[in-house]
Amino acid sequence: MADNVLYIHVKHILQKLIQYLERPLVIAGRFVGSFSVSYFRSQLFFFFPFYHIGGAEKVHARITCCLKENKPIVFFADKSKSFALKKQFMQSAKIFDLGYLNNPVLIYFWAGVLSTIVNSNKNCVVFGCNNILFYKLIPYLSPHICCIDLTHAFGGGIENVSLPCVDRLDKRVVINTRTLKDLKEQYSLNGVPENMSERIVLIENCVHIPELTGRKNYRKNNGPILRILYVGRGSEEKRVHLVGEISYLCHQKDMPVEFVLVGDVRSSIPEQYRKCCTFLGEIVDEKKLSEIYNSSDILLLVSSSEGFPLVIMEAMAYGVVTISTDVGGISEHIHNGYNGFLIKNESESLIVKNVYKIIDELISNEFLMDKISLEAYEYAKTNFNCEKFCSKYKKLIWGK
């Protein structure tokens, strides 16, 4: 209790100190930035958090690639855990990593530096996502600078940081209608003028769709084993421990299944369940990841919150059947019993029980497995097209 009181007290003091230092730090940043403007010439600036592996990061790399002909400059605001996607970004843009230098005190110094750099480029566009620096920068940008942000999912806290900037954001991109509704509700609750909602644009993500004639018969492909895949982080909302529990239950029942986990998730699985899982670690190589999807039958996600995960799109592109909790915008694309399966986001014990039932049904019903697999692939082919994705972003940025 005493520790909490001390933490709150120290945090309050730091916040007051930062407020006091804001103006001097911005002025110092502007002075430093004035010596750099000639080096940062572009009509398009991106502000992204990371270049380590992740669904959002893959989307950011794809957007940058779509607009590489404009020679964009990308600033990474936060410290990345790995160099996984750094090379991919470098192929499309000039990049600068501020992650090692950025912190709550220096954020206003960087706002001064970066606003000076950006403001020196007339009629340019600034595009940001998932980082506080971008929203702290916006108030210092000249009125002629076009500002756009992207919201992957509502509820992580960044939507509250962005709220004071709503009237300065010329466009706001969301990836599903659920987030669109959430933003509109936030506007209503906070007295934001209704016409601000007209600036919100829906652009769904995309993935590479391989040329397949249809999903292969999973038993012929994998023998008697049904391969169940998890791809992602081990963060709290992903509830990867439930994947471990489900794997343990399936093995207790001697079900012909194999659980394969991609990502840095081993520590997220309770030790007693790890013997039932195969851990492949973090995989950066897209070719290797494609091979894993192509040899898998089921993608399993049991998250407590999501936007619309890129891993579902990637899995569907290979005819992998998704079993997921019904959260975020997932139900906009996964239609229960048609191209995947949705589980109610209720108690963890019921989630485990219901996932187990579906796996058991798919093992005994090969026809259903193949039917849903094919529907998933056809849906991905129709809806997750990258040409449409790039076209929409070019129109968003340049109006044509």
Side-chain angles (χ1 to χ4, degrees):
M1 183 68 178
D3 290 343
N4 287 338
V5 172
L6 179 61
Y7 170 77
I8 293 170
H9 184 64
V10 171
K11 183 178 179 182
H12 179 71
I13 292 173
L14 286 173
Q15 287 173 339
K16 287 291 185 183
L17 179 63
I18 291 170
Q19 288 176 3
Y20 180 76
L21 292 174
E22 177 179 347
R23 184 170 175 77
L25 285 169
V26 170
I27 292 171
R30 284 174 172 167
F31 176 74
V32 172
S34 65
F35 294 98
S36 309
V37 292
S38 60
Y39 186 71
F40 295 91
R41 291 299 178 194
S42 180
Q43 294 303 110
L44 180 57
F45 294 88
F46 288 113
F47 287 85
F48 295 135
F50 312 111
Y51 46 69
H52 59 226
I53 199 75
E57 287 66 44
K58 286 184 178 181
V59 173
H60 300 160
R62 178 77 67 178
I63 295 169
T64 308
C65 182
C66 289
L67 295 155
K68 64 181 180 180
E69 63 186 44
N70 302 113
K71 299 180 180 179
I73 293 175
V74 180
F75 291 99
F76 293 101
D78 300 306
K79 187 176 179 180
S80 299
K81 296 177 182 177
S82 71
F83 299 106
L85 298 176
K86 186 174 182 179
K87 185 177 180 181
Q88 193 170 333
F89 277 104
M90 291 176 66
Q91 291 172 346
S92 304
K94 186 186 291 185
I95 73 169
F96 296 91
D97 188 356
L98 305 178
Y100 292 89
L101 303 170
N102 192 14
N103 61 58
V105 175
L106 288 179
I107 198 166
Y108 290 107
F109 170 78
W110 287 113
V113 171
L114 296 167
S115 61
T116 301
I117 289 170
V118 173
N119 289 337
S120 69
N121 292 271
K122 293 183 178 179
N123 301 318
C124 69
V125 176
V126 176
F127 185 108
C129 180
N130 284 8
N131 66 93
I132 295 173
L133 176 60
F134 170 68
Y135 295 108
K136 295 298 183 183
L137 167 67
I138 286 177
Y140 300 102
L141 296 179
S142 300
H144 66 271
I145 305 297
C146 176
C147 299
I148 301 172
D149 77 342
L150 165 62
T151 302
H152 288 281
F154 195 92
I158 198 71
E159 67 277 359
N160 297 322
V161 177
S162 71
L163 191 58
C165 303
V166 167
D167 62 342
R168 185 60 184 84
L169 290 165
D170 297 273
K171 293 290 182 182
R172 307 199 71 180
V173 183
V174 295
I175 66 169
N176 54 62
T177 58
R178 174 63 183 270
T179 305
L180 179 76
K181 292 176 183 177
D182 287 337
L183 280 179
K184 287 184 177 181
E185 184 177 346
Q186 183 195 40
Y187 286 5
S188 177
L189 291 172
N190 289 275
V192 176
E194 192 173 343
N195 65 344
M196 289 291 107
S197 296
E198 297 173 6
R199 300 184 182 185
I200 305 174
V201 179
L202 173 64
I203 303 180
E204 294 173 327
N205 293 333
C206 77
V207 291
H208 169 68
I209 311 294
E211 287 298 324
L212 301 177
T213 55
R215 179 67 174 166
K216 63 274 174 190
N217 180 293
Y218 75 92
R219 289 195 178 278
K220 288 180 181 176
N221 181 56
N222 293 328
I225 302 296
L226 194 71
R227 197 179 205 199
I228 300 171
L229 180 67
Y230 172 84
V231 180
R233 302 187 304 275
S235 50
E236 185 178 351
E237 78 280 2
K238 298 292 185 180
R239 297 193 293 206
V240 190
H241 62 281
L242 294 184
V243 177
E245 188 174 344
I246 294 164
S247 71
Y248 183 74
L249 178 59
C250 289
H251 281 84
Q252 274 191 320
K253 301 291 185 178
D254 291 321
M255 297 173 71
V257 295
E258 176 189 13
F259 281 76
V260 176
L261 288 78
V262 174
D264 186 14
V265 297
R266 186 180 180 87
S267 61
S268 301
I269 301 287
E271 190 171 354
Q272 67 267 32
Y273 303 147
R274 291 177 191 171
K275 62 183 179 181
C276 303
C277 301
T278 299
F279 298 95
L280 300 183
E282 191 174 89
I283 294 177
V284 178
D285 188 276
E286 290 294 329
K287 184 178 179 181
K288 186 175 180 181
L289 188 58
S290 296
E291 290 171 356
I292 292 168
Y293 279 124
N294 199 41
S295 63
S296 299
D297 303 294
I298 293 172
L299 175 74
L300 179 57
L301 294 177
V302 288
S303 304
S304 59
S305 64
E306 288 284 1
F308 180 59
L310 197 71
V311 292
I312 291 182
M313 300 172 72
E314 291 174 338
M316 292 176 76
Y318 286 90
V320 178
V321 175
T322 297
I323 302 175
S324 173
T325 40
D326 186 2
V327 294
I330 293 175
S331 61
E332 293 178 32
H333 296 287
I334 296 294
H335 307 304
N336 191 40
Y338 176 71
N339 62 358
F341 294 93
L342 295 175
I343 302 295
K344 286 184 180 179
N345 186 29
E346 41 198 356
S347 71
E348 292 191 353
S349 60
L350 281 174
I351 290 171
V352 171
K353 181 180 177 181
N354 290 329
V355 169
Y356 171 81
K357 284 182 178 178
I358 293 172
I359 294 172
D360 189 40
E361 181 181 7
L362 292 176
I363 287 173
S364 60
N365 193 337
E366 188 175 329
F367 173 79
L368 178 63
M369 179 73 196
D370 290 342
K371 177 179 177 294
I372 293 180
S373 171
L374 182 58
E375 292 293 352
Y377 173 72
E378 292 297 335
Y379 187 91
K381 193 174 182 180
T382 302
N383 293 278
F384 304 151
N385 185 288
C386 282
E387 288 185 14
K388 293 179 183 177
F389 175 86
C390 284
S391 177
K392 288 179 180 179
Y393 268 101
K394 287 177 181 178
K395 186 175 181 180
L396 172 79
I397 300 294
W398 306 120
K400 57 181 179 179

